[in-house]
Amino acid sequence: MRRRLVVALVVVLVLACAVIGADRLVNARTFQLGGDLVHRVETAEKVVALTFDDGPSDKTESVLDVLREQQVRATFFLVGTDLHAQPALGRKIVADGHQVGNHSYTHSRMVFTGSGTVASEIERTDAEVRAAGYQGDIHFRPPYGKKLWTLPRYLAEHHRTTIMWDVEPETDPGIAGDADAVVRAVAETVRPGSIVLLHPMNEYNKATVTALPRIISELRGQGYRFVTVDELLRLR
Ligand SMILES: [Zn+2]
């Protein structure tokens, strides 16, 4: 019975690759083979979730300072190795009331990854997130947004939600590195229920830290209110 199920699932995978294209399937923001995936929430309310990937790093304090000054709560998708290296920063993020998600342990592409490795990447990071004092549900965001088969299957079996995004200004090389352009891109593409992906804690990415307070005031000017991913999910 189990063998027939596996054969059927492989057939679905091959068909999905043939119809959608393997590359598009791996990188899709709005679809994966199994499990709950959210890239934005359909709502008329002017709410937006700011999400920060990678780290914590030595730039985390500056990000937390901005959020504290602006009284914004955000969602941090943290990397297990970085949390392990700088546990005090993880505790600060949690103490400031932000949401914390799992962004894998080693930040490697999880495409042709064995199920044991997938479990270890996720569970070791969960342990670091809990050690930082975070008590809420821990959602997952795949490194580089990539996923194919074993990862979505693990997430589905463990009832974990995958959080993607619908606004990603830094992906455009003509925008990344230019704070003005990052602010403009977010202001122009955001809509009610959006999830914005930013990398202010990355070493190379000074522009996003500069852009962050301006993104917040620009969106507030448009009438937006900032929510965590969990608060956004409650509007579904
Ligand atoms: Zn990342």
Side-chain angles (χ1 to χ4, degrees):
M1 191 59 204
R2 191 174 160 79
R3 222 172 108 190
R4 270 164 70 185
L5 182 67
V6 169
V7 170
L9 290 173
V10 169
V11 168
V12 168
L13 176 64
V14 170
L15 282 175
C17 285
V19 173
I20 305 170
D23 194 48
R24 283 177 60 194
L25 187 62
V26 166
N27 293 301
R29 269 188 342 206
T30 59
F31 175 79
Q32 70 183 7
L33 291 166
D36 185 23
L37 178 144
V38 178
H39 77 292
R40 64 177 294 271
V41 163
E42 196 60 55
T43 174
E45 261 191 75
K46 280 194 137 182
V47 288
V48 57
L50 296 180
T51 66
F52 305 127
D53 278 17
D54 308 341
S57 74
D58 54 5
K59 290 162 85 184
T60 300
E61 302 264 22
S62 346
V63 174
L64 289 176
D65 287 346
V66 171
L67 297 174
R68 205 174 302 120
E69 273 164 30
Q70 304 277 344
Q71 299 193 310
V72 166
R73 285 192 308 128
T75 303
F76 289 72
F77 287 93
L78 300 175
V79 175
T81 43
D82 295 337
L83 259 177
H84 187 76
Q86 310 214 52
L89 289 177
R91 287 196 293 272
K92 271 188 181 156
I93 294 170
V94 175
D96 275 11
H98 300 294
Q99 184 174 347
V100 176
N102 182 326
H103 194 39
S104 85
Y105 199 78
T106 62
H107 204 277
S108 40
R109 286 172 173 76
M110 294 167 80
V111 179
F112 297 108
T113 314
S115 52
T117 306
V118 166
S120 153
E121 285 279 338
I122 294 176
E123 286 159 21
R124 281 191 297 164
T125 305
D126 281 351
E128 296 293 341
V129 171
R130 291 298 182 217
Y134 189 70
Q135 293 178 346
D137 288 341
I138 305 174
H139 304 310
F140 184 75
R141 175 171 280 167
Y144 311 99
K146 292 182 188 295
K147 63 242 159 298
L148 183 59
W149 178 242
T150 45
L151 176 59
R153 206 179 56 173
Y154 174 94
L155 295 167
E157 280 170 2
H158 293 82
H159 310 288
R160 303 287 290 262
T161 302
T162 304
I163 305 295
M164 300 293 278
W165 56 85
D166 66 323
V167 177
E168 50 175 331
E170 304 152 331
T171 306
D172 183 337
I175 292 175
D178 178 345
D180 290 339
V182 170
V183 175
R184 206 163 43 237
V186 175
E188 284 169 3
T189 50
V190 75
R191 53 182 175 149
S194 275
I195 299 176
V196 181
L197 165 64
L198 295 166
H199 295 82
M201 289 177 288
N202 283 7
E203 203 52 60
Y204 60 86
N205 199 359
K206 291 190 174 68
T208 298
V209 183
T210 311
L212 188 56
R214 293 174 50 200
I215 290 172
I216 293 169
S217 56
E218 171 68 33
L219 297 189
R220 277 207 170 118
Q222 289 188 25
Y224 280 94
R225 180 166 66 82
F226 294 92
V227 292
T228 62
V229 164
D230 267 342
E231 287 165 343
L232 191 64
L233 293 179
R234 277 184 224 122
L235 297 176
R236 287 203 288 177

